[in-house]
Amino acid sequence: MFFVDTLEFEGLGNRSYLAGGPSAAVVVDPSRDIDQVIAAAARRGVRVAFVAETHVHNDYVTGGLELARVTGAQYLVPAGAHVSFDRTPVADGDTVTVDEGLVLRAIATPGHTPHHTSYALTEDGRGVAAFTGGSLLIGTVGRPDLVEPRLTEQLARAQHASAHRLADELDDEVPVLPTHGFGSFCSSSQAEGDATTIGKERETNDALTLDVDTFVAQMLAGLDDVPAYYAHMGPANTAGPAPVDLTPPRRADAQEIASRLAAGEWVVDLRSRVAFAEGHVAGSFNFEGEGKLATYLAWLIPWGKPVTLLADTPEQIADAQRELARVGIDRPAAGATGDPAGWVREGEQLASFPRARFSDLAGVRERGDDVVVLDVRRDSERARGYIDGSVHIPIHELHGRIGEVPPGTVWVHCAGGMRAAIAASLLDAAGREVVAVDDGFDAATEAGWPTPAQAAPLTRPSAPLARK
């Protein structure tokens, strides 16, 4: 009897899979921190015989090379992927026997990348799972614009063809098990639901219900921003990532924290946005450990800039280290935990700023107070509606464009509060007077705030990205 275990990485919006039989298994698209995979295999009592990559990833650093080295597994990588390490190249139609009666077959599915490969798992000749990576996702497909701009339309058309190939070759009841689509920016739109099958996708997925020209036009119109750190993931994965080091960082005292800030390094406070607003080290930035830490910190930080982590507990530091290692931010320069009062030197005070709701903002404007409303959502989100008169600078551009924010008290908002907290911390560190709007954007309309509902609506009727 076969099994498939799902390993979820919610911060990055991805999944990896451990699948096998009584004695051996294959791991598909593992993350950098391979200890979780090894533990999952140990719980099953199976040997990792194969590690399979669907493609060279753009959104995280793979653990595949190290996992294969540690376990002695064969490392299956698409033959068309140009990598700098030894591996077992796989081409369309290649098969490996994972365990008795359990066979993995490679299916060329270009689109997300030119070399993208999906894998069909069969038990005694019957299809039991399809590992589709960044090809066929839940209700959508992987985006085609991460490799080379000149190839985007060509790859979008290839995505359409690859989705049809999977639907043609696999039975309706075969589960579709993608790597992307659960918050990852590698997805062309975000998944609705948690599980799917070939049959369900045949009925609902645009790639399988629309003609190729309509599908391509809608996909290209709906593509969102690309996180800046993606530019570093592909090269790291083709070169062969080094083993990850998750040992605790050295402890920083108040003097060292101040010195690192003075040197222009990043000091990142992982506590909740509520706690940060109430009291924080002046000049530090707030990236909640419970939010999409790796995505947004890696997106905003100048690549290679040393980072010091502040948190309530050592466990929070450890969790953040693990998350950041997955995107190539390997070693914090230092860390500190406990009472924030201990993070500032004697005689210094913690900084703070207020939080508010959209109803508070409406009240301020009704009184005639002159404030700046700053919207830090992405272009695609703002296109669905925005507060009249607001300034728009997406969060991933704000650090380099703070000088463009008009003078005055800045009321900053996003879609749900997390990005507004990041933005508020950036503004506060720059010496601006700021109010963080910690509220869902729907409340702007409920508060009677003028929100143009038909402001340049998106052409593509795709599912909105989850609030962040």
Side-chain angles (χ1 to χ4, degrees):
M1 179 67 67
F2 80 97
F3 71 88
V4 177
D5 291 341
T6 301
L7 289 80
E8 296 198 45
F9 304 98
E10 294 182 4
L12 293 176
N14 288 324
R15 292 177 175 178
S16 298
Y17 300 94
L18 173 73
S23 60
V26 58
V27 178
V28 180
D29 289 344
S31 73
R32 184 88 178 278
D33 46 327
I34 61 172
D35 57 320
Q36 293 188 340
V37 179
I38 293 172
R43 287 192 296 271
R44 284 285 184 178
V46 296
R47 174 177 61 90
V48 176
F50 299 95
V51 178
E53 301 281 9
T54 58
H55 60 294
V56 174
H57 302 284
N58 290 292
D59 63 332
Y60 68 91
V61 180
T62 181
L65 181 62
E66 179 66 4
L67 180 61
R69 185 189 70 80
V70 168
T71 62
Q74 284 192 53
Y75 191 22
L76 311 179
V77 178
H82 301 291
V83 296
S84 302
F85 48 82
D86 290 335
R87 86 288 192 203
T88 300
V90 292
D92 185 42
D94 286 351
T95 62
V96 295
T97 299
V98 177
D99 207 336
E100 185 176 355
L102 203 61
V103 174
L104 193 71
R105 175 170 64 95
I107 305 174
T109 48
H112 187 48
T113 67
H115 61 264
H116 191 282
T117 300
S118 298
Y119 298 91
L121 186 67
T122 61
E123 183 182 45
D124 298 328
R126 178 180 63 90
V128 292
F131 302 104
T132 55
S135 184
L136 187 65
L137 312 184
I138 300 178
T140 184
V141 294
R143 61 193 297 170
D145 61 327
L146 302 179
V147 176
E148 160 60 55
R150 291 171 295 182
L151 295 178
T152 296
E153 182 174 348
Q154 174 185 330
L155 290 175
R157 292 181 178 276
Q159 277 290 49
H160 187 270
S162 292
H164 278 265
R165 181 180 180 190
L166 289 169
D168 290 343
E169 293 191 10
L170 301 174
D171 294 335
D172 281 353
E173 65 271 16
V174 173
V176 174
L177 304 174
T179 301
H180 303 316
F182 310 96
S184 168
F185 282 82
C186 273
S187 175
S188 60
S189 64
Q190 294 310 303
E192 289 188 340
D194 192 55
T196 192
T197 63
I198 290 292
K200 290 178 182 177
E201 293 308 303
R202 196 191 308 278
E203 296 174 353
T204 60
N205 196 303
D206 284 353
L208 297 172
T209 61
L210 300 176
D211 66 85
V212 62
D213 290 334
T214 303
F215 168 77
V216 169
Q218 290 193 359
M219 173 188 278
L220 298 185
L223 291 173
D224 217 321
D225 299 306
V226 179
Y229 72 90
Y230 277 25
H232 304 281
M233 301 297 96
N237 287 325
T238 56
V244 66
D245 179 3
L246 295 177
T247 58
R250 61 186 304 273
R251 183 183 179 278
D253 59 15
Q255 181 59 52
E256 181 174 352
I257 291 170
S259 297
R260 290 188 177 279
L261 283 169
E265 297 182 9
W266 278 37
V267 174
V268 171
D269 192 324
L270 302 167
R271 296 176 301 147
S272 75
R273 54 185 181 260
V274 175
F276 183 88
E278 290 177 349
H280 57 269
V281 177
S284 62
F285 302 139
N286 182 213
F287 290 80
E288 291 180 303
E290 297 299 317
K292 293 183 73 67
L293 169 67
T295 294
Y296 284 101
L297 179 55
W299 198 338
L300 271 66
I301 193 170
W303 200 250
K305 178 78 72 173
V307 59
T308 294
L309 301 178
L310 310 179
D312 291 319
T313 67
E315 290 75 21
Q316 290 172 333
I317 296 280
D319 289 345
Q321 271 189 264
R322 182 179 292 274
E323 188 81 4
L324 294 175
R326 293 170 182 162
V327 293
I329 301 177
D330 283 2
R331 291 293 300 162
T337 59
D339 185 350
W343 301 341
V344 294
R345 294 171 295 190
E346 186 175 353
E348 296 179 337
Q349 300 295 317
L350 294 171
S352 64
F353 54 75
R355 296 163 50 250
R357 301 286 187 181
F358 279 110
S359 57
D360 301 316
L361 175 57
V364 167
R365 291 302 296 266
E366 286 175 5
R367 293 197 305 268
D369 293 359
D370 186 18
V371 299
V372 178
V373 180
L374 176 62
D375 180 352
V376 295
R377 297 174 300 157
R378 295 183 299 277
D379 291 343
S380 59
E381 295 171 284
R382 187 171 171 86
R384 301 184 185 103
Y386 57 89
I387 293 176
D388 191 26
S390 60
V391 177
H392 179 227
I393 302 177
I395 184 63
H396 57 276
E397 299 177 7
L398 181 60
H399 188 247
R401 297 177 60 189
I402 285 181
E404 299 176 27
V405 180
T409 300
V410 183
W411 288 61
V412 59
H413 80 85
C414 59
M418 186 196 77
R419 287 173 293 173
I422 297 172
S425 72
L426 296 175
L427 291 159
D428 177 75
R432 296 298 302 269
E433 186 174 351
V434 65
V435 178
V437 179
D438 193 357
D439 208 354
F441 189 69
D442 291 346
T445 302
E446 295 169 4
W449 195 258
T451 304
Q454 301 300 323
L458 288 176
T459 301
R460 188 177 192 276
S462 61
L465 287 166
R467 279 183 180 166
K468 304 177 181 70

